[in-house]
Amino acid sequence: MSPEAFRALYERLRERSRQAPDDRRGTLNHITPARMAAAAREVRSGRSVSLAAPVELRKGPDSPDPAAHRMTGPAAADVDADGLHFALDRIAMNVHGNADSHLDALCHVLYDGALYNGVPARSVTAEGATALTVDLVRDGIVGRGVLLDVPGLRGVPWLEPGDQVTAAELAAAEARQGVRVGAGDLLLVRVGHRRRRRERGAWDAARTRAGLHPEAMEFLADRQVAVLGSDSNNDTAPSAVHGVDFPVHVLAVQAMGMHLMDYLQFEELLPVCEREGRWSFLCVVAPLRVPRATGSPVNPIAVL
């Protein structure tokens, strides 16, 4: 995709997504109380499934700076001692990596000196962001989740790194699965990244990975999708646009005001959807309440 075509797409999506000058919710505005209540009615079998991958604690090709987990208690002398003692631990992690499941806040993407809806990029400081932070979703994101299985559509176990999902494939996956993405939905696009990683081993996902083609974002705008999530980064690598890294992030987060969830995992949800013969469910996303943060580790839950 040429830089000129990308710029035209960017301007088109930004105009279509235009809100009031003081809007800070972006596409979350599509999740109305009525749509949230309707999403709750998706619960039928009473089964809950995690959409997060285990936190990566080992250094690897896609986790050069893995999370650090260490025990801080109990003291050795307390293990066999009488009385009350506590097991204690702490964890530190890089939120926006290429291995761990996380949510991108609307302050995560700076483009042409601005964040979503013209908020100045300088609002992100060395002490943290002062606008559009993850605190925007402190009450959680609750809505109807829809899983589209693109490898299933193609008849393959996974998409190879560098493959791109088109808008036509999203529509074809809908038709194959008998589901339709609607206003306020949390759209979850499976490319099979986690299955490939499990069976082939980790690789440098920063250099090459499957994801959405930038033009697929028009499908999401047409359907008024509230949140986009993938078992990869959502963006392909190498970039589909010459001279623009992470074009889907630019379009979704900065132009449209859409929260993204990167590096989820759907390998536990997929067989449940296949067995129950349905691809929509209640989805609950509860980020950590970290003041001034640009994102959060996340463990979304699908409730069927």
Side-chain angles (χ1 to χ4, degrees):
M1 189 177 191
S2 70
E4 295 76 17
F6 174 77
R7 173 59 68 172
L9 176 61
Y10 170 83
E11 296 294 349
R12 190 161 61 248
L13 289 174
R14 186 171 66 166
E15 184 60 32
R16 291 184 61 181
S17 305
R18 190 173 298 278
Q19 301 276 354
D22 61 348
D23 178 69
R24 298 296 180 263
R25 289 183 57 79
T27 56
L28 292 180
N29 288 311
H30 296 318
I31 306 179
T32 64
R35 288 170 180 159
M36 190 184 302
R41 293 193 288 273
E42 294 280 336
V43 179
R44 301 170 198 167
S45 62
R47 171 75 182 272
S48 64
V49 184
S50 169
L51 307 182
V55 172
E56 188 58 58
L57 299 173
R58 296 175 299 176
K59 190 172 183 177
D62 59 351
S63 56
D65 182 24
H69 174 247
R70 68 181 180 88
M71 300 302 296
T72 59
D78 295 335
V79 174
D80 297 317
D82 294 336
L84 174 66
H85 306 279
F86 293 100
L88 304 169
D89 51 358
R90 63 176 291 136
I91 187 167
M93 66 187 300
N94 170 26
V95 173
H96 302 286
N98 290 296
D100 295 320
S101 305
H102 63 272
L103 177 137
D104 293 339
L106 297 187
C107 59
H108 176 50
V109 177
L110 292 65
Y111 188 68
D112 287 348
L115 308 178
Y116 165 67
N117 211 16
V119 174
R122 60 179 174 271
S123 63
V124 181
T125 73
E127 287 72 41
T130 60
L132 299 172
T133 70
V134 75
D135 192 59
L136 180 72
V137 289
R138 61 183 175 272
D139 295 322
I141 304 173
V142 181
R144 177 181 181 253
V146 176
L147 177 65
L148 295 184
D149 179 21
V150 180
L153 173 70
R154 295 191 187 182
V156 296
W158 55 70
L159 273 57
E160 290 295 340
D163 280 353
Q164 300 174 21
V165 178
T166 66
E169 286 185 303
L170 295 178
E174 280 185 318
R176 172 181 174 268
Q177 297 171 210
V179 68
R180 182 175 174 82
V181 177
D185 285 350
L186 285 67
L187 175 58
L188 307 173
V189 180
R190 178 178 179 265
V191 299
H193 181 101
R194 290 292 180 182
R195 179 174 173 184
R196 188 184 193 278
R197 187 181 189 272
R198 184 185 69 213
E199 296 187 14
R200 295 281 183 88
W203 71 95
D204 186 357
R207 293 183 62 250
T208 178
R209 60 181 178 267
L212 274 66
H213 190 279
E215 291 178 340
M217 295 306 296
E218 293 213 81
F219 175 95
L220 278 74
D222 289 342
R223 302 298 181 84
Q224 296 186 330
V225 166
V227 176
L228 172 63
S230 174
D231 53 348
S232 183
N233 170 266
N234 287 294
D235 265 295
T236 59
S239 174
V241 181
H242 180 70
V244 181
D245 291 331
F246 302 96
V248 169
H249 277 66
V250 172
L251 296 174
V253 178
Q254 202 267 6
M256 301 171 66
M258 180 179 293
H259 288 76
L260 295 182
M261 292 188 288
D262 296 334
Y263 295 107
L264 304 179
Q265 69 85 20
F266 307 132
E267 301 311 303
E268 296 169 11
L269 176 63
L270 183 66
V272 177
C273 289
E274 291 175 333
R275 184 166 56 251
E276 297 198 6
R278 61 192 183 99
W279 300 87
S280 62
F281 37 82
L282 175 66
C283 189
V284 180
V285 183
L288 299 177
R289 294 189 65 175
V290 184
R292 295 177 170 250
T294 66
S296 171
V298 72
N299 179 20
I301 303 296
V303 189
L304 292 93

